[in-house]
Amino acid sequence: MEESIYIHGARQNNLKNIDLRVPRNRFVVITGVSGSGKSSLAFDTLFAEGQRRYLEALSTYARQMAGRLNAPLVDEIEGLSPSIAIEQKGLPHNPRSTVGTLTEIYDYLRLLFARLGTIYCPNCDLPVRSWTVAEIVADLSECLPPKSRILLLAPLGQILENNLPNLVKRLRRDGFGRVRADGAIYELDPLPSFPRRPSHLIEIVVDRLVLDEEKRRRLIDSLELALRAGKGTAGIATPEGWQRFYCESARCALCGYTGPELTPTLFSFQHPFGMCPSCRGLGHAGSDGEGASCDESAGTAADSQEEAPEVPGLISEPSTCPACKGTRLSEAARSVRLGGLSIDRVSALNPAAVAVWIKGLDFDESGRQILERPQKEILSRLDNLVELGLPYLTLDRSSNTLSGGEAQRVRLAHQISSHLSGVLYVLDEPSVGLHPRDHRRLLDILMRLRDAGNSLVVVEHDRETILRSDHVIDMGPGAGTQGGEVVFSGPPDQIANCPGSLTGLYISGKKQIQTPRHRKKSGDFFRLTGASGHNLKSISADFPYGCMTCVTGVSGSGKSTLILDTLYRALARKINNVQTNPAPFSTLENAERLAKVILVDQSPIGRTPRSIPATYTGVFGLIRQLYSQVPEARARGYSPARFSFNAKGGRCENCRGEGLQRIEMYFLPDIYVTCPACQRSRYNRATLDITYRGHSIASALEMTVYEAAVFFSNFRAIRYKLDALIDVGMGYIRLGQPATTLSETSEWDTYGWASRPPLFRGVRPRGSNWRLNLAGVDREGPSISSMSQRPVCTSKISANSCMSCANWLTSRTRLLSLSIIRT
Ligand SMILES: [Zn+2]
Ligand SMILES: [Zn+2]
Ligand SMILES: [Zn+2]
């Protein structure tokens, strides 16, 4: 009989007390409309319980933490393995995490640089290493032809003219016959007359001989003497002008620079040892980007005004740290080279170039032994990055600049190389943002993970993924309270015959996504010419006014460079008067009709527990206003700020308003546990005392948009904003749903979080000018079945607020959409 995981009585979130069998060591897809309970089943039940049990099996410390993790609402789960979630959200908040550290490639590089690297003097650009006499002799016979005439020198450095007579006397007493002063040879007997100069660069000529096997003994004796006289440094020079200095200790033979001790820690920008002291390993100057300070100011600014700033993040470009030039590393770490490159130069390469570099490393037998294992590990991880459609990511790319999909695939690349088996992997929508070609490779990789003896549970709507899976679980039938049931569970070829399954209808082609009957045309364009950032080949492009334009292509083809780095920044600078540097281009023509440009992309929001729908949509400001008007609040003199969890005063200070506490697990991903002081409410006792119609501000944030729309129905301004959220299909989300907790609906987190609220805010009528909405959107987020509902709500928006074009994206490839909205 097939091995399986049995779930009994799952009731987490909207799950309706379901019993379910999930086959083990198989590729299982959970599908269904947005809000149907897919993530509640995959993440909040299966993964949460697997993680909890796994932690319980570990140390006492981990066990304590496990006790504070919320156990999922389920009667029993049998046959569960340790589980690992590879989500698109919740990447480490560590500002020093990069693609290199996430994949562990950087750890192997550090090892290689420590064991095999050569220190180069940062002043003289010469190798710094320690030499034994035998090594010097070997080096000489390698560098010079036999029978070469050589001078053996003992450098004494710069000697002041006044001190010369005494020095010469001493050298004569010690038996030396000649010196080299500023490159010229002088006999010491009789007393030489040096040209008048404040100081001279003096080297003792210890011996003159011909390189010869028979003279080997004499060479060794003279070298030892030179090293002694030169305090650890000896020089060899030929009449032809070749010369080289050798140090016994790791010191620059010319300037005396002492190299660092080579250990893996030296190359870590996460450790005080290796980090650049002026930016502390962050690579940029100014704010240190850590702690809550920046979160706080951003949060308060965003929810203190009714209209939050239109352009979140992105424009802020922290300046590169001048001390390390953005490499995050100390000078000592950067002074070490391997195969001609320092570790920061290697990190700035893409996977293909790193592979060329590491394959080109050449060592003797013992060096090869050191190289072998790390080289193999690095190459396999580089291959994985390429296969996962990330051939353009450099190792030094900061993880907080990755899109959700990219971050997920980087972590996947790491998991594949860690050769685990017997693990339950839970993934959310790995196909998001992938071109069909890259998507096929991704599926191959997932199959490899399964074939290594792991179970995969993937939340996904993509048709191809469903068809290639071993087992499909379709959740539904509707969203929220209308969902939470298993509509279908079985092999994918049978779902088409399941009458109750919307997904089945799409798979079988009985239902199809409608393409618009007529498309909007525009005779007027604005034009970008000569775009040549990154890999763009000086291209020009027209963008029609009043239309939705879709930019597509395989990973790394230049979509983001063209739209985000060039067009958006050029427009933002010209129209919004923002300080920003676009990628190089020649001209931007005919853009005068645009009144404003708004960027809607995945990255800037949703990465902290402080980002909640209420703040981002601006409704929170109104609700706080309302709470400050309650008689009890007025009596106590509470202002709207009192009801912010971003500022001191009303919030719980134990968790500083996050409601959760982050626990570092060191060798495991960080986990979040309920704050013991406020039990997730984010507020202190006094604030919670204030209630409106029986609900505190915390319980208002617990409401779904639907519930809140009813609860606040007397307040037109609040109602207006909530209705708009309902219009775009977001009624089932909770007002205070934090981004970093395990979500009830992965769609909201992966796609909706970042793109829907701003999109919806963009359609509010205001003035009569043209406005450009730029959306960096990874594919259409909602499931196949909810896609057809899309034009309905869109047309409602159009009717309400004059959105001039409602061609919704139905392509399944990665899209960077561009829409112009008439407001
Ligand atoms: Zn030097
Ligand atoms: Zn620095
Ligand atoms: Zn708290």
Side-chain angles (χ1 to χ4, degrees), residues 16 23 31 230 283 291 304 308 383 437 570 607 770 777 806:
K16 300 220 173 96
T31 185
S304 61
D383 275 355
R437 185 198 72 182
R607 289 281 164 88
W770 288 94
V777 174

Side-chain angles (χ1 to χ4, degrees), residues 276 278-280 283 321 323-326 328:
C276 161
S278 72
C279 64
R280 298 193 298 127
C321 167
C324 63
K325 297 178 193 69
R328 304 162 180 263

